[in-house]
Amino acid sequence: MAAVKYTEEEELLILEEGHDPHFHDHHHGDDKYRMSFISHYIFSMDHKMIAKQFLVTGMFWGIMGGLMSLVFRLQLGFPEESLAWLKPVLGKWITISETGVGSLDPEFYYALVTIHGTVIVFFVLTAGLSGTFSNLLIPLQCGARDMASPFLNMLSYWFFFLAGVVMFASLFLSTGPFSGGWTAYPPLSALPQAMSGSGAGMTLWAVSIILFVVSVLLGGVNYITTVLNMRTKGMSMFRLPLTIWAFFITAIIGLLSFPVLFSGVLLLIFDRAIGTSFYLSDIYIGGQALDYVGGSPILYQHLFWFLGHPEVYIIILPAMGIVSEVLSVNSRKPIFGYKAMVYSIAAIAFLSFIVWAHHMFMSGVNPFISNFFVLFTLIIAVPSAVKVFNWISTLYKGNIRFTNAMLFAIGFVSMFISGGLTGIFLGNSAIDIQLHDTYFVVAHFHIVMGVAAFFGMFSGVYHWYPKMFGRFMNPVLGKIHFWVTMIGAYAIFWPMHYTGMAGVPRRYYRFDSFEAFSYFGEINQFITIAAVVVFAAQVLFIINFFYSIWNGKKQTTVNPWGATTLEWTTPIEPGHGNWPGAIPVVHRWAYDYGKDGRDFIPQTEPLGENESESH
Amino acid sequence: MNFLIILLCIILIAVIIVQIGKVSELASSIRGEEAAERDSNNWSARLLLAFLPIFLIGCIASAIYYYPYMLGYGPHESASVHGLELDHLFNITLVVTGIVFILTHIALFWFSYKYAAKEGQKAAFISHDNTLEIVWTVVPAITMAYLVINGLIVWNNTMADVDPGEDIVEVEAVASQFLWELRHPGKDKVLGARDYKLINALNPLGQDWRDEKNIDDFIMDTLFLPVDKKVRVRITAKDVLHNFYLPHFRVKMDAVPGIPTYFVFTPDKTTEEYRQGLKEYGGMWLEPADPEEPDGPRRWETFEYELACAELCGRGHYSMHKFVRVVPQEEYEAWLNRVEQTSYYLNNVRGKKNDPHKGKQLDIEKRFYEIEAAAAEEVAAPPVTQEPTTQEATAVEVVKDSVVVIENAH
Ligand code: HEM
Ligand SMILES: [Cu+2]
Ligand SMILES: [Cu+2]
């Protein structure tokens, strides 16, 4: 598909010379942004390179988190099989029984569950998703040369990197990494005598989280400022693509909620290190009555979930933005109900701040308070439903192109429906009495957050890969990746609904101490096998990703997907500064697909004489 | 060795797959990119269409296969009054969400197939439709309102505390790493005061012996409850968070150090009745409980209600296991008479240096002497045989242990 903006001749010129001859006179693309190897690949301040750094680091943590889950799934699915073969890697964390059967030490099992959760939620689905695509797309789609502060942006990545280093180091402690669950509830997380992972492991965990919060805040300030102040001429807020809306609102949520996690963890550190009693009271442990009085463990839960619930939307909103964009581009139709989409993102963001205690119905808060949280929680289902209906309507009467990005976007919608609906069970506190802390919750949040957000991320990677590397990922491998992941993810998480309904609690190392929980050996084996298969498909994705950087099919036109947005008006491999010439001017919204019989009209094209802008 | 073989296999498969990718690229460039793309597009459309029935049938079939384990279905009936309401609410939600789930999935995958790119086909330019959008905002809003109202009614009924003076059974569950200690208030029906600073090997719950209400409290290993009577469980923890979880009764509440919580519920099926239900249900419940002993008791005969922990509390979290036994009122009272004498105070503190009631005649002792006298009279008559229950056995053990400790202490 040929881009409209350039003639073929001009396009050739751009390809060869990397800049746009039209704007030759006032181009300020090069000098200001010239870089050495180190400043180009490592301490880069180019948002596109920082995006890649976020992505690759996120992928690393994705593999780590995935491998951890395989190990603990093996223990759950096949508790009688020997894990002795893991001894060379895990060392003392594999205990060998007299009969020679190696099994995971329970404490290390909990450590794996904890670190798996932490790194996937924060490092992969927050940094790897929002970090990658906000960085890549905000300047490109808003029409800016870079972020408002490239330097803070670079710091944001390096704080994230440091957080990762600290977390990684904690894996090698002799007392083990933190093992009290990703939610880190005190007193378990506050008292080293409660669990060996609550010693040095917890200290490093807390430090890592604090570094991470700094990273999120630096990034967030930047994203917000850039969207507000650096849009190109003509780019009004309601001409922004939904991706940008999603990243923008995500950043605002992050800015408001992460500081609360920061203070929550800080107080926890105080309790641990200097003997304050914010979260501790009346504790007798290890044969000793401790001096803490007057604190409340429930306070921590309020602080944690005041971040924790918005955090799940910090994870899912960018995925929603990406999916909206990809669905529209590949259906060759405008996104259905653009304004409704914007308002529902905003509504979800607002509501996400007043539902946090739905994680705490059974925590000992006054049951009366729960009435409000039930109400607000179920109200969130309304804007969520609107979004789903709008995505589905976007497909209606389209002319759909099933690129890999598109397949993952469709998969995303399916996952979001399945997981969102189970939220309606959990949001009703009465039903949550039975379902809280069972596998039903595990199924809910893995489908709606875990899998759906990963699908959004994959969709984004396949779609913008050409923009990042000037090449395409292999579509056939991509399709195998999609189908195995789609079917496999349901195979892993769907059955968990059944064990959850039967009441099987989450975070159990074995299920055979209870008769009521012991009937699901088969399901657990099935889930473990599915998990191994799905992991293999992700390895395929990683191979495809790195292989294609150097060997993928070359991008030959600037706008391979026939999209209207600005990122596709830059040269195939844009330098620092993005547009070699002046920044293009915007004249219309981002979704003129199929209008007036034309396949698409780029945002840079002025409105026709009698044309009215449509929303 | 195995590990190496597996690794080699994986590498081999990866290489093969990459080759497939390369070959496909080659093939498409030979056949012409557009033709190849159209082909692949059609395939994707068909696969998506095929996925729809397979997925939906898979979901429904698996639900039917597993329904005997599901909330409120098959033998998995609630054994408490509020539990029935809760299961009902679950079912309403299941129907509502089930309909939405099926309809949206049909639309999603059917549209994907129907509107797959075709030669000459043009996408329609539809940017929004206010009526439609209002409809699908209002309909979910009404549905949610319906669920919220139903839910809150059940919730507030369930969580209502007892009225002062109401005739209830109060018990206390104390969690610590990694066990439950279950305290019964004895005949006075009131739990005595506790202080965590008083906890030691001789006083595991930190009971304050100056409080006379503690005198007849005893610690049980199985939670004994009368049927059809309101139970108020006071839930506390000594060290970290735990969660008092009775799956069959739909009861769950965190145990929080420093902040006692409670849960009020009414068991409405005795253990025996529940067993009969399982027997009638049949299936696996008729199999022998112990596969090694094909002639031994059946599964339904050995069934017990269980108490679990549902809040991560450390390495032994998954093993905090106790039983709950629900019995008819008469049996409950008979049991209370029998076990009263296992009062922790009576067996471990009475007459010791730290006994604040030294020299006082206590009611519980009077009752004890009466019972002894009655037993002496009946000495000739055959004893009413009642299965010794587990908690008595352990109560005795506790006593023994404590005696040992006392001796060591001296
Ligand atoms: C219709 C909308 C939703 C409703 C009503 C809902 C409701 C709930 C409720 C009540 C819980 C607490 C369950 C419990 O612990 O007992 C929960 C857990 C959770 N939800 Fe949702 N949810 C919804 C959508 C989402 C979305 C979109 C995400 C993420 C993108 C999400 C992520 C999570 C996570 C991560 C947890 C579990 C956290 C943990 O305990 O470890 N939920 N949800
Ligand atoms: Cu939440
Ligand atoms: Cu526990």
Side-chain angles (χ1 to χ4, degrees):
Chain A
M1 254 156 277
V4 173
K5 191 165 174 262
Y6 306 97
T7 66
E8 248 171 71
E9 219 172 280
E10 283 167 343
E11 205 162 274
L12 250 170
L13 260 174
I14 295 170
L15 276 180
E16 280 167 7
E17 297 182 12
H19 60 75
D20 186 334
H22 277 316
F23 303 111
H24 211 274
D25 297 339
H26 21 233
H27 87 72
H28 31 339
D30 288 356
D31 299 347
K32 189 170 151 200
Y33 296 109
R34 205 182 294 280
M35 294 163 298
S36 72
F37 178 85
I38 288 191
S39 66
H40 183 63
Y41 287 104
I42 301 173
F43 295 106
S44 172
M45 293 201 219
D46 181 350
H47 69 101
K48 297 184 292 300
M49 183 54 68
I50 294 175
K52 290 180 205 171
Q53 292 173 330
F54 269 107
L55 182 58
V56 172
T57 317
M59 279 161 77
F60 169 79
W61 281 110
I63 298 170
M64 291 296 293
L67 282 175
M68 289 176 193
S69 72
L70 286 195
V71 176
F72 67 69
R73 267 317 317 178
L74 282 175
Q75 174 66 40
L76 284 179
F78 302 93
E80 313 303 337
E81 298 289 318
S82 181
L83 287 178
W85 57 277
L86 279 172
K87 190 119 181 133
V89 189
L90 298 180
K92 70 169 173 176
W93 301 115
I94 299 283
T95 45
I96 312 268
S97 71
E98 290 138 34
T99 49
V101 178
S103 49
L104 213 53
D105 182 77
E107 209 139 316
F108 194 66
Y109 167 85
Y110 287 122
L112 287 176
V113 174
T114 303
I115 305 296
H116 159 85
T118 311
V119 302
I120 298 235
V121 165
F122 293 116
F123 295 174
V124 185
L125 296 181
T126 305
L129 176 54
S130 161
T132 302
F133 290 102
S134 300
N135 266 306
L136 181 69
L137 295 178
I138 288 178
L140 282 174
Q141 290 193 330
C142 287
R145 297 212 179 271
D146 204 316
M147 286 289 176
S149 166
F151 178 70
L152 286 190
N153 212 28
M154 177 185 81
L155 279 188
S156 158
Y157 172 73
W158 286 104
F159 270 100
F160 164 46
F161 186 83
L162 264 184
V165 169
V166 174
M167 190 65 78
F168 195 73
S170 81
L171 299 178
F172 301 97
L173 291 170
S174 72
T175 48
F178 178 51
S179 48
W182 80 280
T183 49
Y185 284 179
L188 186 60
S189 59
L191 303 171
Q193 55 274 57
M195 207 175 190
S196 72
S198 297
M202 177 59 197
T203 307
L204 291 191
W205 188 93
V207 170
S208 171
I209 291 301
I210 284 189
L211 290 170
F212 186 77
V213 173
V214 174
S215 155
V216 171
L217 297 183
L218 292 174
V221 173
N222 240 329
Y223 306 155
I224 294 170
T225 320
T226 310
V227 173
L228 287 180
N229 292 329
M230 300 183 61
R231 281 169 287 130
T232 182
K233 186 156 179 249
M235 183 64 95
S236 64
M237 287 304 272
F238 277 114
R239 281 178 178 166
L240 285 172
L242 286 172
T243 34
I244 302 303
W245 268 108
F247 301 147
F248 174 59
I249 293 182
T250 300
I252 297 176
I253 307 178
L255 222 51
L256 293 175
S257 62
F258 267 101
V260 180
L261 175 70
F262 187 97
S263 26
V265 172
L266 201 64
L267 299 187
L268 185 55
I269 292 177
F270 288 165
D271 274 7
R272 290 167 55 81
I274 57 178
T276 54
S277 310
F278 290 106
Y279 306 134
L280 306 175
S281 186
D282 296 24
I283 291 170
Y284 178 87
I285 192 168
Q288 229 183 336
L290 308 184
D291 288 332
Y292 304 101
V293 279
S296 162
I298 298 176
L299 170 64
Y300 173 86
Q301 298 177 30
H302 282 296
L303 296 176
F304 183 86
W305 287 114
F306 190 84
L307 156 91
H309 187 82
E311 165 67 11
V312 307
Y313 285 96
I314 290 171
I315 287 173
I316 205 71
L317 287 182
M320 287 176 166
I322 289 169
V323 164
S324 305
E325 176 72 13
V326 168
L327 280 176
S328 170
V329 173
N330 291 296
S331 303
R332 314 306 298 154
K333 267 187 72 203
I335 187 78
F336 190 89
Y338 172 82
K339 283 215 166 137
M341 290 303 243
V342 173
Y343 293 138
S344 58
I345 294 179
I348 289 176
F350 171 72
L351 288 169
S352 76
F353 279 100
I354 50 174
V355 299
W356 76 89
H358 67 210
H359 297 273
M360 300 165 59
F361 291 142
M362 301 300 122
S363 69
V365 294
N366 186 332
F368 176 72
I369 304 282
S370 298
N371 286 304
F372 300 99
F373 287 98
V374 170
L375 179 65
F376 298 139
T377 299
L378 292 200
I379 290 178
I380 269 207
V382 176
S384 307
V386 169
K387 294 197 76 85
V388 168
F389 295 141
N390 283 354
W391 286 320
I392 293 177
S393 319
T394 303
L395 300 175
Y396 177 71
K397 290 203 171 168
N399 191 33
I400 304 169
R401 215 166 44 190
F402 294 106
T403 60
N404 288 316
M406 184 63 172
L407 287 173
F408 274 106
I410 292 171
F412 170 94
V413 177
S414 168
M415 291 293 166
F416 188 73
I417 295 170
S418 306
L421 288 174
T422 49
I424 294 172
F425 292 79
L426 300 171
N428 230 328
S429 52
I431 305 178
D432 193 48
I433 296 175
Q434 182 69 359
L435 296 180
H436 173 63
D437 265 345
T438 64
Y439 267 84
F440 196 90
V441 178
V442 178
H444 162 69
F445 72 77
H446 275 91
I447 291 180
V448 75
M449 181 177 76
V451 181
F454 266 108
F455 274 33
M457 191 162 159
F458 289 138
S459 183
V461 171
Y462 283 109
H463 192 77
W464 281 287
Y465 194 86
K467 194 74 262 161
M468 288 191 263
F469 299 104
R471 290 172 186 265
F472 293 92
M473 288 178 74
N474 184 300
V476 174
L477 297 190
K479 296 214 160 73
I480 299 174
H481 174 216
F482 169 73
W483 282 108
V484 176
T485 312
M486 176 85 179
I487 296 169
Y490 269 128
I492 296 172
F493 297 114
W494 193 269
M496 290 187 185
H497 292 110
Y498 301 127
T499 53
M501 286 182 216
V504 179
R506 68 196 279 206
R507 294 170 170 167
Y508 265 34
Y509 165 73
R510 291 182 78 100
F511 301 112
D512 50 6
S513 5
F514 292 81
E515 143 128 48
F517 310 145
S518 63
Y519 298 117
F520 301 99
E522 248 173 65
I523 288 196
N524 278 322
Q525 289 182 2
F526 177 80
I527 292 174
T528 300
I529 293 167
V532 173
V533 174
V534 169
F535 184 80
Q538 309 321 305
V539 174
L540 187 62
F541 168 76
I542 305 264
I543 293 173
N544 192 356
F545 184 90
F546 286 104
Y547 179 82
S548 301
I549 292 182
W550 295 281
N551 300 302
K553 197 177 81 165
K554 272 208 163 118
Q555 183 189 352
T556 49
T557 52
V558 284
N559 187 359
W561 309 125
T564 60
T565 40
L566 293 182
E567 77 272 29
W568 304 107
T569 64
T570 59
I572 288 179
E573 300 211 29
H576 198 175
N578 296 338
W579 288 269
I583 301 175
V585 175
V586 165
H587 298 280
R588 57 178 74 231
W589 75 326
Y591 295 102
D592 272 340
Y593 292 99
K595 192 181 188 190
D596 301 335
R598 287 174 62 187
D599 187 35
F600 71 104
I601 310 174
Q603 285 191 280
T604 47
E605 188 173 314
L607 287 176
E609 288 264 308
N610 301 317
E611 200 186 348
S612 64
E613 195 174 356
S614 36
H615 273 165
Chain B
M1 198 51 214
N2 273 349
F3 184 63
L4 270 184
I5 293 175
I6 293 171
L7 200 72
L8 273 179
C9 286
I10 292 173
I11 293 173
L12 206 67
I13 291 172
V15 171
I16 292 173
I17 288 172
V18 170
Q19 291 309 319
I20 293 176
K22 270 198 196 160
V23 169
S24 70
E25 232 162 48
L26 210 66
S28 80
S29 70
I30 292 170
R31 284 186 40 234
E33 219 143 284
E34 263 184 44
E37 232 163 66
R38 208 170 320 121
D39 243 27
S40 128
N41 217 52
N42 290 338
W43 265 109
S44 291
R46 278 180 222 135
L47 282 176
L48 285 168
L49 184 69
F51 178 78
L52 173 65
I54 295 172
F55 176 55
L56 290 183
I57 290 172
C59 290
I60 295 170
S62 61
I64 292 172
Y65 181 71
Y66 280 109
Y67 100 92
Y69 301 100
M70 276 158 55
L71 198 57
Y73 288 90
H76 199 71
E77 254 187 9
S78 157
S80 67
V81 175
H82 78 270
L84 290 174
E85 288 178 57
L86 192 156
D87 290 358
H88 182 62
L89 191 63
F90 181 88
N91 280 330
I92 295 177
T93 315
L94 190 61
V95 171
V96 172
T97 54
I99 293 171
V100 178
F101 173 74
I102 291 173
L103 291 184
T104 47
H105 268 90
I106 290 177
L108 177 66
F109 288 103
W110 174 248
F111 288 171
S112 298
Y113 171 75
K114 179 101 196 294
Y115 301 108
K118 289 173 200 76
E119 216 154 340
Q121 176 178 289
K122 278 219 158 102
F125 184 77
I126 312 172
S127 69
H128 64 294
D129 182 327
N130 286 345
T131 332
L132 215 51
E133 286 174 66
I134 289 173
V135 168
W136 67 46
T137 311
V138 172
V139 172
I142 294 173
T143 318
M144 287 306 129
Y146 171 72
L147 292 178
V148 169
I149 292 168
N150 272 288
L152 290 185
I153 292 173
V154 178
W155 170 253
N156 290 305
N157 284 344
T158 304
M159 301 312 284
D161 204 351
V162 294
D163 299 323
E166 209 175 337
D167 181 28
I168 56 149
V169 177
E170 174 141 56
V171 289
E172 184 181 50
V174 184
S176 55
Q177 291 179 328
F178 298 100
L179 59 95
W180 291 101
E181 284 158 300
L182 303 161
R183 181 161 69 126
H184 194 281
K187 286 250 164 86
D188 68 357
K189 295 192 170 179
V190 193
L191 293 163
R194 285 173 44 206
D195 180 349
Y196 84 104
K197 296 249 180 199
L198 297 176
I199 299 179
N200 57 40
L202 299 182
N203 188 358
L205 297 187
Q207 282 163 283
D208 185 346
W209 303 124
R210 289 168 306 180
D211 182 359
E212 294 195 12
K213 298 189 199 92
N214 266 322
I215 287 174
D216 60 350
D217 292 2
F218 55 92
I219 302 169
M220 313 177 280
D221 216 32
T222 293
L223 193 55
F224 242 76
L225 299 172
V227 72
D228 291 332
K229 187 137 183 211
K230 244 189 208 179
V231 182
R232 187 184 196 273
V233 192
R234 188 174 185 274
I235 301 159
T236 65
K238 286 189 213 168
D239 40 30
V240 299
L241 295 175
H242 300 265
N243 183 302
F244 182 82
Y245 175 33
L246 304 175
H248 303 95
F249 299 93
R250 319 291 188 246
V251 168
K252 192 177 278 149
M253 183 53 71
D254 270 7
V256 187
I259 305 174
T261 57
Y262 65 89
F263 202 107
V264 181
F265 70 107
T266 313
D268 69 349
K269 289 185 190 63
T270 62
T271 303
E272 205 41 55
E273 281 165 354
Y274 206 88
R275 285 178 182 167
Q276 288 303 324
L278 296 179
K279 184 182 170 196
E280 268 158 43
Y281 183 77
M284 62 165 234
W285 295 100
L286 300 181
E287 288 163 18
D290 183 356
E292 316 244 298
E293 239 187 285
D295 298 326
R298 309 281 107 179
R299 276 219 157 111
W300 65 269
E301 289 175 278
T302 56
F303 168 85
E304 294 285 357
Y305 293 129
E306 289 175 302
L307 160 60
C309 177
E311 184 68 68
L312 179 56
C313 56
R315 69 177 283 139
H317 167 52
Y318 60 94
S319 61
M320 288 179 59
H321 185 222
K322 286 281 188 277
F323 290 119
V324 180
R325 181 73 66 83
V326 179
V327 296
Q329 184 71 31
E330 316 83 67
E331 201 178 313
Y332 176 74
E333 261 148 41
W335 167 79
L336 201 54
N337 278 333
R338 266 183 298 127
V339 296
E340 192 186 34
Q341 302 309 323
T342 61
S343 147
Y344 196 84
Y345 165 82
L346 222 52
N347 291 289
N348 298 285
V349 184
R350 188 64 175 149
K352 301 271 157 52
K353 271 207 296 263
N354 60 339
D355 180 4
H357 306 294
K358 242 179 252 169
K360 229 194 278 173
Q361 164 96 69
L362 301 170
D363 284 352
I364 192 170
E365 286 171 323
K366 278 192 223 145
R367 289 203 292 275
F368 182 54
Y369 296 136
E370 279 161 25
I371 291 170
E372 277 205 329
E377 272 172 35
E378 271 179 41
V379 94
V384 193
T385 44
Q386 204 112 41
E387 283 287 306
T389 47
T390 34
Q391 84 287 345
E392 279 176 299
T394 344
V396 173
E397 270 167 38
V398 170
V399 174
K400 267 196 223 133
D401 281 351
S402 321
V403 171
V404 173
V405 178
I406 293 166
E407 278 167 1
N408 290 347
H410 283 296

